């Protein structure tokens, strides 16, 4: 397999995995989040059952995606425009992942603790509303990055033609 074919393959795989991940994010954002975010903390119990499996799901999914993204970057490294495009895309992706680890994950853990202890929290409705609103922004950024990979795929696929 020549270097262009490997670049095409890994770029395609990471784009596909990104779109699969986006599908899961959109589903979670439009179906699951509104259920637990409605009337906090009464519905926070929804975070307890599937919360652990969702945590595992997202850790595995993001890990697989980031490995494929790094492989795409490695195999596209000698293609200047692809390398630069992927570096910028990866930087945005990592920035949003860092935001997730700093804000979204700790907030969910806090909401789960409230569900477990049945303790109240000040300004809980505002905190949930902020989390939900910022989650729309986060998902939109992930979708924008993945859509941005489509023209890159087309350019790389056209190198052999």
């Amino acid at each position: 397999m020549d270097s262009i074919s490997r670049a095409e393959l890994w770029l395609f795989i990471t784009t596909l995995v990104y779109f699969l991940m986006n599908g899961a994010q959109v589903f979670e954002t439009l179906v699951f989040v509104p259920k637990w975010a409605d009337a906090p903390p009464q519905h926070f119990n929804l975070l307890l059952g599937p919360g652990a499996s969702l945590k595992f799901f997202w850790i595995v999914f993001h890990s697989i995606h980031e490995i494929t993204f790094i492989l795409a970057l490695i195999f596209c490294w000698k293609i200047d425009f692809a390398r630069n495009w992927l570096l910028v895309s990866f930087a945005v992706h990592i920035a949003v992942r860092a935001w997730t680890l700093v804000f979204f994950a700790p907030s969910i853990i806090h909401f789960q603790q409230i569900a477990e202890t049945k303790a109240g929290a000040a300004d809980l409705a505002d905190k949930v509303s902020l989390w939900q609103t910022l989650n729309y922004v986060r998902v939109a950024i992930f979708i924008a990055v993945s859509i941005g990979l489509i023209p890159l795929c087309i350019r790389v696929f056209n190198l052999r033609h």
Side-chain angles (χ1 to χ4, degrees):
M1 205 181 220
D2 66 336
S3 62
I4 296 294
S5 295
R6 280 179 273 179
E8 291 171 338
L9 175 66
W10 285 106
L11 185 56
F12 174 76
I13 289 171
T14 199
T15 302
L16 177 64
V17 172
Y18 219 143
F19 274 94
L20 291 172
M21 186 173 64
N22 286 337
Q25 289 174 330
V26 167
F27 174 80
E28 183 181 64
T29 297
L30 298 178
V31 175
F32 185 65
V33 171
K35 289 183 187 285
W36 67 257
D38 182 44
Q42 292 89 344
H43 296 160
F44 280 1
N45 61 334
L46 294 171
L47 295 172
L48 296 178
S53 61
L54 286 175
K55 176 182 173 184
F56 178 74
F57 171 81
W58 285 118
I59 289 171
V60 169
F61 213 146
H62 277 288
S63 297
I64 290 169
H65 174 257
E66 285 155 9
I67 289 167
T68 65
F69 210 135
I70 291 168
L71 286 168
L73 187 55
I74 289 168
F75 287 108
C76 290
W77 193 260
K78 293 180 182 177
I79 308 168
D80 290 342
F81 71 86
R83 177 187 61 234
N84 296 339
W85 199 316
L86 284 171
L87 282 172
V88 170
S89 299
F90 194 66
V92 172
H93 173 83
I94 292 300
V96 177
R97 289 283 287 129
W99 184 27
T100 298
L101 295 173
V102 170
F103 174 74
F104 292 96
S107 296
I108 286 290
I109 291 168
H110 177 68
F111 299 153
Q112 287 172 329
Q113 289 170 343
I114 291 171
E116 288 172 341
T117 63
K118 306 293 185 212
D123 303 323
L124 187 58
D126 291 339
K127 289 177 183 177
V128 170
S129 178
L130 176 64
W131 190 98
Q132 195 170 13
T133 301
L134 293 177
N135 187 55
Y136 291 131
V137 173
R138 175 177 65 149
V139 171
I141 294 169
F142 279 136
I143 290 170
V145 171
S146 62
I147 289 172
L149 293 177
I150 293 171
L152 178 60
C153 284
I154 292 168
R155 279 189 73 185
V156 170
F157 293 172
N158 285 334
L159 286 176
R160 287 200 288 166
H161 298 87

